Amino acid sequence: MLAIHVYLTAVLFLSLIGLYSMAFKRNMIRILLGLEIILNAANLSFIAFSARFTGQVDLLGQSIVVMSIVLGGCVVAIGLSMVLNAYKHYKTLDVRELRRLKW
Amino acid sequence: MSKYYTAMGAALTVFMIIIIAYTTALYGAIFPEPVMSEEQLVTTTGEGEIIHSMSGFLWDYRSLDLLMQPFVLFAAASGCAAMLRVIRRRS
Amino acid sequence: MSEFLPYPLISLLAGAMVVLFAGVLEERLGQGRTKEALSVIFIALALIGCLILYKDVTSQPLGVMVLSIGAEPPLGACFEIDLLSVFMTFSVVFLGLFAVVYSFRYMEHDTRLAEYYSLLLLMMAGMVGVALAGDFFTFFIFWELMCISSYVLVAFRRELWGPIEAGFKYLTMSALGGVLIFLGMSLLYGMAGNVNFAYMSVGIDWGTAGVWAYLAFILLFLGFGIKAAIVPMHTWLPDAHPEAPSPISAMLSGIVIETGLYGLVRILFVVFLPNAVLLPRGPETFKYVVAVFSVLTMTIGNIMALLQKDIKRLLAYSSIAQVGYMLVGVASGTTYGLLGCFLHVFNHSLMKGLAFLASGAMVYRIGTRNLDEMKGLGHYMPVTTMALAISLLGLGGVPSTNGFVSKFILFGSALAPGVNMWWLTLIGVLNSAFSMAYYLPIIIRLITKPAEKSSELKEAPILMLIPMCIMAILIIVFGIYPRPVLQLADSASKALIEGLQGYISKVIP
């Protein structure tokens, strides 16, 4: 178990990767994957804080992670069903084509 | 021209990563220590005992969240059904 | 008194299941309106449950009721219900009742109505749970329930491209807000060891936590700000509100973004502000950050609303501006400011809800949202136009509407002796006066003489008119006699600031 700031730096990098994927990628599915990456970064943060003291484990953090994985899965399910519908209308997965709503 | 911008962007990102890592190592080593109660902290035994204490903890202390999660799943399933169902109109 | 779950929540959750079941049965049979009737019955039961909840909470010794299943807080998941929670629950269920009655006629030609009513009830259950939660993770589960239901409801009319595009943008931004809240929650958990609100208020060592506390605050502010449509995180709102069906627009604009504001207020006033003196430059930081964002939100919301030609998009930008006004009350940090903020939450839900319902009735009749084509519509739809005019005057803050009362309290709170933010009041009053510049042309355009006579335009159906008329009458009545709601909001804001010791002592004896 390393010092806590190593894990926090890893959380920061994962979040930055996820944010980059949400902001700059054109494929709609990659945007949803970026969302999942940020969620995994937050889960990693919870686990790192729960396993902080050597030889002991904090059960609250881990139970929160177990339940948060389910919530992340639900959000992505809805997102993918929306991507399916968008493909039916726009015939492409490019999010830059979704700019008919102006202003 | 765009290669120049890509190279500048990559250099800026690497520079920022180095700065963040340095400041995190300098300042982030200090993180406040929480005071946890006895029921939370469990000594790791290693063989698989942790699973039983974990599920016991979940059902004793977090039962409200566990009871509300099926409703979230229900909302997600119902929402996917609403978005993906094929409606055939009987004329 | 329910031992495990509060009555409004039981009623709404059970209602969602029953309504879906009834709706699926009706779809097999091909016809039937039982699901609508059942949804109204369950919302009425939730309203009665809210009154019982109010009586229960006020009969408790400290004005706080803690409900949990199984183990005790602070480690166990719990509902911690004080009067602020009861106030938000009442706002949610009240607006939901009007929206559901309105959607009987509005949505009757749509498909998949069983899922519509069930998801609407689940969205309301999620908002009620967010208001009642005492634990940050319980809050997050109900937050995700509310968000997931609202994503599907915005993109409900999936045959058109507009709702799908708006729904996807709304989903990405709002889900990003949710995970940012989750990240902030993880930092607070690491500092405190527990995710209970009351425990986090007293159990964090703020001296060593300087930078990390500010980082957690920034993450939580960004997350709640995306949901509450604080500029610059507001860009999903002008797309999502016009494309959603009108009753859903009314719910979204009226109470869902205010739930984001409630989360921000709860986390700010329970965890951060009581301990702000222990942080380096603490109190001024929180106050001025919220004040700067309030100015930004008000100004940009009002300016962008002036340029719109689509009535529902104009009302969506106006919602952004109204959230800016509510942030003035939060920035002041006093009981009086929070009174104005929550009174404006309730009043805005009535006024903006009525505005969206009335404009939805007009869209239902003429099929377009463009303002230029609504010229002279008032001659054919007089009651709807009157209701829309009352709601727009209320939004602008004209005296004798309830919007005036709450705006008066909000802008007056920034002038209080301990809070020297006269510039905030000045900008707020100027913005409020400026907002009439885009409300009045709508009314004028509706009541001018129409160009040619059109015989097929009639008044809105009676089931859509009844909730609109009741809301319009309430706007005027609460403007002239605001005492009931004022007392409720006053007790709610007092419960948050002065009742904090009682709130904490219920969990940590």
Side-chain angles (χ1 to χ4, degrees), chain B:
Chain B
M1 202 57 193
S2 74
K3 275 198 192 149
Y4 172 73
Y5 284 133
T6 321
M8 282 296 291
L12 195 63
T13 316
V14 170
F15 183 63
M16 287 203 45
I17 286 178
I18 293 177
I19 297 243
I20 290 175
Y22 180 68
T23 47
T24 317
L26 205 55
Y27 293 110
I30 309 166
F31 197 88
E33 299 253 331
V35 174
M36 302 204 197
S37 61
E38 304 85 35
E39 296 117 9
Q40 287 180 263
L41 287 180
V42 161
T43 49
T44 50
T45 50
E47 258 306 313
E49 300 266 327
I50 191 73
I51 302 176
H52 296 289
S53 46
M54 180 69 195
S55 54
F57 180 85
L58 257 181
W59 279 107
D60 283 337
Y61 287 89
R62 285 275 141 194
S63 42
L64 192 64
D65 303 336
L66 280 178
L67 283 178
M68 289 306 141
Q69 236 177 15
F71 288 103
V72 180
L73 283 166
F74 177 74
S78 170
C80 284
M83 298 284 293
L84 297 172
R85 247 182 11 163
V86 180
I87 305 288
R88 286 181 190 85
R89 287 203 177 273
R90 296 187 210 134
S91 53

Side-chain angles (χ1 to χ4, degrees), chain A residues 12 22 36-37 54-56 65 68 70 74 77 86 103:
Chain A
L12 175 71
M22 279 189 90
E36 278 293 291
I37 291 177
T54 52
Q56 283 179 320
V65 166
S68 125
V70 175
C74 290
W103 265 113

Side-chain angles (χ1 to χ4, degrees), chain C residues 136 181 184-185 188 216-225 267 272:
Chain C
F136 213 152
I181 294 173
M185 190 201 315
L188 282 177
F217 174 66
I218 288 172
L219 284 170
L220 285 169
F221 187 78
L222 284 177
F224 284 119
I267 201 71
F272 286 106

